Amino acid sequence: MISDLIHRRDKTKYKLGSNCNIKIFTEDVVKRITRNYSTLIGKGPSGEVYRGILDYDQVAVKRYIHRSSREEFMEVISICSQMSHKNLVKLIGYCIEDSTLIIITEFISRGNLDDILHSGAISIPLDVRLGIAIGCAEALSYIHSMKLSSSDSFLCHSAIKPTNLLLDDNLTAKVSDIEMSRLLLGGITQYSAFVRGSTEEGYLSTESDVYSFGAVLLELIARKRVKRGDINLIVTFRKVELNDITQNFSDLLYGGTSAKVYKGTLEDNTVVAVKKFFEVLEDFKEAFINGGIILSQLVHKNLVKLVGCSLDADTTPIFVYEYAAKGSLSDVLDGQEDFPLHLRVKIAIQTAEALEYLHSSSTGDVIRHGYVVPSKILLDNNFAPKLTGFSGAKRLVKDTKINSGCNAISSCLPTDELYTDAILDQCAQLKVKTDVYQFGVLLLVLISRKNFMSYADHHHLIFECIAAYEAENSGRTFFYVDIGADEEIFALEEIGRLALKCASMEVDERPTMKEVAEHLRIIGRSWKPTLVSETEVMAADSSIAEGAQPDMRLDSEIVIDSP
C-alpha cells in the first residue's frame, strides 16, 4: 500500500511521456524476472546489470549500487520515458522501493562495442563500422535536440563510450545508459568531477558528447582503445597512427595543387588512400572539412567511402578513403590501357546513379556535388566509379531563404519570405542542374576519350561534338571507337545526344539526373544487356510507364552553355 502511494506521488510530480507505456515493477517481480539476480551480464560504477525474462522476451535489469535520491531517479525516468529512437535502448519499466532503484530495458543481443572491437571475435568491415558511427551520431543528434523542462534547456548523454554502445543481431548501434543523461538548464555547460566515458574530464555539455563521440570514431577506425597506458590516440592517431598506416608517408600515389595522396594499410590489412593537404587558406580548409562531413553522412556504392580523418586545428586536414586501384578516370583517359566502350558506358551509368542519389530526398537534403570532372571519379579494379571531390558540395536545405541563385523563382517572389517545400524543392532542382551540365561534359569525355583538366578548358568538347552532328547529323567523327559494330555506333549516337541535352543553354531544358540515369540504363540494355541488372531495367521501365521521357534525341538548335 505504501509502495503504491509512493508511485502515485512520483508519477504526478514527474511528467512521463504522453504515449508512455513504462511499467512499474515491485522488487518481488524483479526477483522473479531475474531468477533472484542469478545471471550477471555487466557491472559498472553505477550498478549491476542482470539478464531477465519478461513475457517470454529477454530483458536487461540494472540495479543501482550507489543509491541516488528518489527525485534524481524519477527525473531520469521522466527523461527516458519521453525518448523514442531506433538507435537508443528502449526503456521498459522501473522499480522504486525503499531499498531499491532499478530500471528494466530491452536486451541487446551482441553486447557492447568495446568487447566486439577489441576481442577480435567477429569481423567488422569498414562499412559496418561506418553504420555503427552513423547510428550513434543520429542518436546523439536526437538527444541534443530534446528540450524537456523549459524552452532554453538541453540534454546531453554524458557517458558516450564503446561500453555504452550496444549492438543487436544486425550490428545496429543502440546507445545505452540514457539514464545517465543530464539536463543542461539554460543550455549552460556544467562542471562535474568526472565526465563519464569522456577523455575530456571536468565538464558536461553537448560539446563533451561530441568530443566523446570523436573518441569512439577513433576506436572504430583504429580498433585500438583511445587510452592504452600512457598513449592517447586523440593526441597521437593524428601522428603515430597515420605514420604507421602510410609507412611515414612513403608511398605517393599522386600529387595535386592542394594535396598529396599516399597509399596506406590499416591494421586489418585494408588498403586505403590517405589525402594530406598542403598549407591552405582558412576558407579552403573549411570547404575541405565541410566536404568530409557531407561525405561521411552518405552511403552509396559509387561514392568513395570516407574511412577516417584528422582535423587537428593546428595542422592541415588529412582524410583517409577507400583505395581505388585504377586511379582516377583522368589517369585512365591519359594512359595507354585499352578502354572499351562497355566499360565507359558502365562508368557513365553508375556515376549518373551516384548523382541521382545525391539529388534525391533519400540523402535527407538535396546535395549538389559541384565539380563532376574526370579527376574526381576514381575507379576500382573492376572499373566501378567512385565519385569523390566533395569540397565544393552544398546541402540545399529546406526552410531556408531563396537566394539570387534561383532567379527563375526569386524574380517573382519577395526574397525575405520562407516558402513551401514544393517551391524549395523546385529551387534545389534548378541548382543541381549545374551537376547535370557537368555530367553532360563528362559523357562527351567518355565517348571521345578526350580529357580535360578543369572547367576553364572544356568548351572545345562541346564545340567539336556540335560540329560533328551539324556536318553529318551524326557524331561519328567525334567518337573514340575502333572499327565499331553498328550497335556500338548507335549507343554512342544516343549518348552524344543525351550529353548535349544535359549541356543545354536553357537550364530548365536539362533533364534531371534521375531521367539521365534511366536513359543510360535503357541505352545499356538495348546495346549490351549485361550492363544493366534486371532490377534496374524494371525500375527504368516503371518510370517510363509513369511518364518519364527516355528518348531525349537532339531535336532543337544546339547552343553553348556554361555552368
Side-chain angles (χ1 to χ4, degrees):
M1 190 73 175
I2 293 175
S3 177
D4 289 341
L5 290 174
I6 292 173
H7 289 319
R8 291 193 192 114
R9 181 193 69 188
D10 289 333
K11 286 180 70 177
T12 55
K13 185 175 181 181
Y14 296 94
K15 178 184 177 183
L16 298 185
S18 58
N19 297 319
C20 181
N21 293 316
I22 305 302
K23 299 177 181 178
I24 302 172
F25 297 89
T26 65
E27 187 170 14
D28 288 340
V29 171
V30 173
K31 287 180 178 178
R32 289 201 301 272
I33 290 172
T34 61
R35 295 185 178 179
N36 203 24
Y37 306 105
S38 61
T39 308
L40 181 69
I41 59 176
K43 186 173 182 178
S46 60
E48 298 170 337
V49 184
Y50 298 87
R51 190 196 308 265
I53 301 293
L54 177 64
D55 298 332
Y56 303 103
D57 291 325
Q58 293 189 82
V59 293
V61 178
K62 182 171 183 178
R63 182 171 63 175
Y64 285 85
I65 297 174
H66 304 293
R67 292 177 53 191
S68 302
S69 69
R70 188 179 306 279
E71 289 76 15
E72 289 174 336
F73 183 80
M74 285 308 299
E75 183 180 21
V76 165
I77 298 301
S78 174
I79 290 172
C80 293
S81 72
Q82 298 175 62
M83 293 186 182
S84 178
H85 191 277
K86 62 184 177 66
N87 296 111
L88 290 178
V89 173
K90 181 182 177 181
L91 176 66
I92 295 173
Y94 67 96
C95 171
I96 178 170
E97 295 191 354
D98 290 338
S99 61
T100 306
L101 297 176
I102 293 172
I103 64 169
I104 299 174
T105 68
E106 65 176 322
F107 178 78
I108 308 301
S109 58
R110 287 293 188 100
N112 68 66
L113 179 63
D114 186 80
D115 289 341
I116 291 173
L117 274 181
H118 306 306
S119 69
I122 65 171
S123 173
I124 310 184
L126 287 174
D127 59 335
V128 174
R129 281 182 264 166
L130 177 60
I132 292 169
I134 291 172
C136 178
E138 289 180 344
L140 280 177
S141 176
Y142 171 80
I143 291 171
H144 291 175
S145 69
M146 297 192 75
K147 298 181 181 179
L148 299 174
S149 65
S150 66
S151 60
D152 61 349
S153 295
F154 297 88
L155 196 65
C156 76
H157 184 280
S158 84
I160 293 297
K161 54 184 177 178
T163 53
N164 284 340
L165 293 181
L166 307 183
L167 302 179
D168 65 14
D169 283 334
N170 299 316
L171 295 182
T172 299
K174 302 278 188 176
V175 175
S176 69
D177 270 19
I178 55 174
E179 72 276 7
M180 294 295 188
S181 298
R182 292 293 179 265
L183 200 62
L184 306 177
L185 299 179
I188 299 173
T189 298
Q190 298 177 5
Y191 180 80
S192 174
F194 177 61
V195 181
R196 288 172 294 274
S198 175
T199 55
E200 185 183 44
E201 297 178 359
Y203 295 93
L204 286 172
S205 68
T206 54
E207 287 78 12
S208 65
D209 276 352
V210 174
Y211 186 92
S212 298
F213 175 71
V216 171
L217 283 182
L218 285 177
E219 293 207 20
L220 279 167
I221 294 168
R223 291 199 77 159
K224 295 179 180 177
R225 287 188 171 89
V226 167
K227 285 189 174 181
R228 293 174 290 154
D230 294 332
I231 299 176
N232 186 334
L233 280 185
I234 291 178
V235 177
T236 62
F237 174 68
R238 297 170 183 170
K239 297 177 181 177
V240 175
E241 294 296 315
L242 283 173
N243 286 339
D244 288 346
I245 289 170
T246 61
Q247 297 294 305
N248 292 319
F249 297 93
S250 60
D251 192 351
L252 180 67
L253 293 174
Y254 58 88
T257 57
S258 61
K260 289 184 177 180
V261 180
Y262 300 87
K263 190 174 182 180
T265 306
L266 301 183
E267 197 171 56
D268 61 1
N269 293 322
T270 300
V271 180
V272 292
V274 180
K275 189 171 187 177
K276 185 177 183 181
F277 287 90
F278 305 139
E279 291 294 332
V280 292
L281 297 175
E282 196 61 33
D283 288 346
F284 286 103
K285 183 175 180 178
E286 184 177 339
F288 294 137
I289 294 174
N290 175 68
I293 292 171
I294 290 176
L295 181 57
S296 70
Q297 298 167 353
L298 303 174
V299 180
H300 190 277
K301 65 184 177 67
N302 297 115
L303 298 180
V304 71
K305 291 178 185 175
L306 179 63
V307 178
C309 62
S310 171
L311 303 178
D312 192 328
D314 298 326
T315 63
T316 57
I318 300 177
F319 292 98
V320 182
Y321 301 98
E322 66 175 314
Y323 177 68
K326 293 291 185 183
S328 71
L329 175 59
S330 186
D331 296 331
V332 174
L333 290 168
D334 290 339
Q336 300 301 314
E337 186 173 0
D338 186 32
F339 200 20
L341 181 57
H342 74 273
L343 290 179
R344 290 180 272 149
V345 175
K346 171 184 176 178
I347 291 167
I349 291 172
Q350 294 187 8
T351 304
E353 289 171 343
L355 289 170
E356 177 189 4
Y357 166 77
L358 293 180
H359 294 182
S360 71
S361 59
S362 60
T363 61
D365 297 307
V366 174
I367 296 173
R368 185 195 69 193
H369 183 273
Y371 203 55
V372 185
V373 295
S375 62
K376 303 303 179 187
I377 297 174
L378 306 180
L379 302 173
D380 67 14
N381 263 326
N382 297 316
F383 284 89
K386 307 285 184 178
L387 185 60
T388 185
F390 278 77
S391 59
K394 298 291 183 185
R395 282 191 179 276
L396 306 179
V397 188
K398 293 180 180 180
D399 298 331
T400 55
K401 293 181 180 179
I402 294 176
N403 59 35
S404 58
C406 285
N407 294 326
I409 298 176
S410 59
S411 60
C412 58
L413 293 172
T415 57
D416 60 349
E417 186 177 340
L418 293 176
Y419 302 111
T420 65
D421 284 353
I423 293 178
L424 289 167
D425 284 342
Q426 185 181 355
C427 176
Q429 288 303 319
L430 286 175
K431 288 186 175 182
V432 298
K433 291 299 180 73
T434 299
D435 283 352
V436 177
Y437 173 91
Q438 294 175 351
F439 182 77
V441 178
L442 181 71
L443 286 180
L444 295 180
V445 167
L446 286 168
I447 61 177
S448 67
R449 197 168 179 173
K450 296 177 180 178
N451 199 7
F452 70 96
M453 298 308 296
S454 73
Y455 269 96
D457 177 35
H458 74 283
H459 286 99
H460 69 282
L461 287 168
I462 301 178
F463 279 117
E464 289 180 32
C465 190
I466 291 174
Y469 276 100
E470 287 181 344
E472 301 179 1
N473 195 28
S474 168
R476 185 182 293 263
T477 59
F478 179 75
F479 303 147
Y480 170 81
V481 63
D482 294 328
I483 306 172
D486 289 343
E487 58 267 24
E488 285 195 353
I489 296 298
F490 171 79
L492 288 165
E493 295 280 15
E494 288 295 298
I495 294 172
R497 291 188 174 96
L498 175 59
L500 292 175
K501 192 78 173 178
C502 291
S504 169
M505 178 180 179
E506 297 296 329
V507 175
D508 291 341
E509 291 184 3
R510 297 174 193 166
T512 65
M513 283 310 306
K514 180 178 180 180
E515 292 169 335
V516 172
E518 288 170 352
H519 192 98
L520 285 169
R521 285 192 290 263
I522 292 169
I523 293 172
R525 177 184 59 173
S526 63
W527 165 58
K528 206 172 185 68
T530 56
L531 283 174
V532 185
S533 71
E534 182 178 350
T535 301
E536 292 169 329
V537 171
M538 291 173 64
D541 287 343
S542 173
S543 292
I544 294 167
E546 293 171 3
Q549 301 296 322
D551 189 10
M552 293 176 276
R553 291 181 177 273
L554 200 64
D555 55 4
S556 60
E557 182 182 359
I558 303 167
V559 287
I560 302 303
D561 185 27
S562 62

